[in-house]
Amino acid sequence: MKIKVLTVYPELFPGFLGYSLTGKALSEGKWSLETVNIRDYAFDKYGSVDDTPCGGGAGMIMRADVLGAALEANYNPKSRLICMSPRGTPLTQAKLHELAGEEEITVICARFEGIDERVLEAYNAEEISIGDYILTGGEQAAMIMFDGIIRLLPGVLGNNESVNEESFENNLLEYPQYTRPINWQGREVPEVLLSGHHQHIADWRKAQSLKITENRRPDLFKKYLDSKKV
């Protein structure tokens, strides 16, 4: 997968994506990263990329002409174009699976109070949000999204079972996990996990997933129940 990022802070990348499994996958060529400094396309010697909002209001807005120039020079129309935005479609595990099937993704990292709406309209950019909260910029959100995508690429995790049993994969939260020591501060590992009986273990884990999901995420639990009606 090719990943291209338009940002005013290219030095932030790859950040934590350069470590652990995602970093190893980067070094092995399972994905590639290219950063584009939006300031390189500014029209003044100061590298200005923003201006005051039309109609008044607080903050600054990323200019359409500067960002548009950066896109014209770097955007491949065959690439999936995404803008990280708190007003975007919520990022879900299903969306990550969808994005993991793309050959190339281009992401605009907004800063300030956002970007000129005309850019989104002109390039038909898809807006994605990682949650109902505000960050100082789209770079952090983009890296979180990339982390979720990259670990789904073939050969990155090395164990498909790990992916299939994780939270959100089947509208259920993951069951509790345990390891040695068997007794820790008087707390024992559930006996069923030590039984060696695979079906009993599977049944226990499913029951725990159902219980945790129903208690903590009733919205997900309803999706799970609805999926069983189909």
Side-chain angles (χ1 to χ4, degrees):
M1 173 181 285
K2 297 179 181 179
I3 290 176
K4 185 176 293 186
V5 182
L6 278 69
T7 172
V8 294
Y9 294 110
E11 63 272 17
L12 291 177
F13 293 87
F16 59 77
L17 298 174
Y19 296 86
S20 189
L21 293 174
T22 53
K24 180 181 179 183
L26 179 60
S27 65
E28 292 175 346
K30 291 183 172 66
W31 67 285
S32 64
L33 174 67
E34 179 184 350
T35 57
V36 176
N37 191 340
I38 299 171
R39 293 191 188 279
D40 290 343
Y41 297 87
F43 300 104
D44 61 23
K45 63 181 180 180
Y46 304 107
S48 301
V49 299
D50 58 334
D51 208 331
T52 55
C54 293
M60 303 290 279
I61 307 297
M62 295 184 75
R63 293 171 53 127
D65 52 355
V66 177
L67 184 53
L71 283 166
E72 282 297 316
N74 296 279
Y75 173 55
N76 175 3
K78 295 182 180 180
S79 175
R80 183 85 169 253
L81 181 61
I82 295 170
C83 178
M84 307 308 299
S85 168
R87 73 178 193 181
T89 302
L91 183 65
T92 63
Q93 193 66 17
K95 175 62 75 171
L96 289 174
H97 276 285
E98 177 189 326
L99 295 174
E102 298 287 342
E103 292 185 6
E104 183 173 341
I105 295 176
T106 300
V107 173
I108 303 169
C109 295
R111 279 270 161 178
F112 319 113
E113 291 299 312
I115 69 177
D116 192 302
E117 187 73 15
R118 292 170 294 181
V119 176
L120 301 176
E121 295 172 351
Y123 291 90
N124 196 27
E126 174 184 4
E127 294 181 87
I128 291 181
S129 168
I130 64 166
D132 296 339
Y133 47 86
I134 307 298
L135 301 175
T136 55
E139 289 81 7
Q140 302 94 312
M143 283 192 273
I144 288 173
M145 181 180 71
F146 293 149
D147 185 271
I149 294 171
I150 295 163
R151 64 194 304 280
L152 295 177
L153 298 179
V156 174
L157 283 185
N159 186 344
N160 290 332
E161 185 177 354
S162 295
V163 173
N164 294 334
E165 293 188 358
E166 289 176 332
S167 292
F168 308 113
E169 284 296 335
N170 301 298
N171 291 317
L172 289 176
L173 300 180
E174 192 173 9
Y175 49 79
Q177 296 277 19
Y178 301 86
T179 187
R180 295 179 180 82
I182 303 305
N183 183 304
W184 178 72
Q185 296 185 356
R187 298 172 183 268
E188 298 276 353
V189 172
E191 187 175 347
V192 64
L193 299 180
L194 307 175
S195 68
H197 195 299
H198 298 302
Q199 188 57 55
H200 288 175
I201 292 172
D203 291 343
W204 180 88
R205 286 174 168 171
K206 181 64 174 292
Q208 291 295 310
S209 287
L210 289 168
K211 178 181 178 181
I212 291 172
T213 306
E214 183 177 16
N215 290 337
R216 300 181 185 179
R217 290 291 303 275
D219 57 323
L220 276 181
F221 189 67
K222 184 179 184 302
K223 286 184 179 181
Y224 169 78
L225 293 179
D226 290 343
S227 70
K228 295 302 177 181
K229 296 176 183 177
V230 178

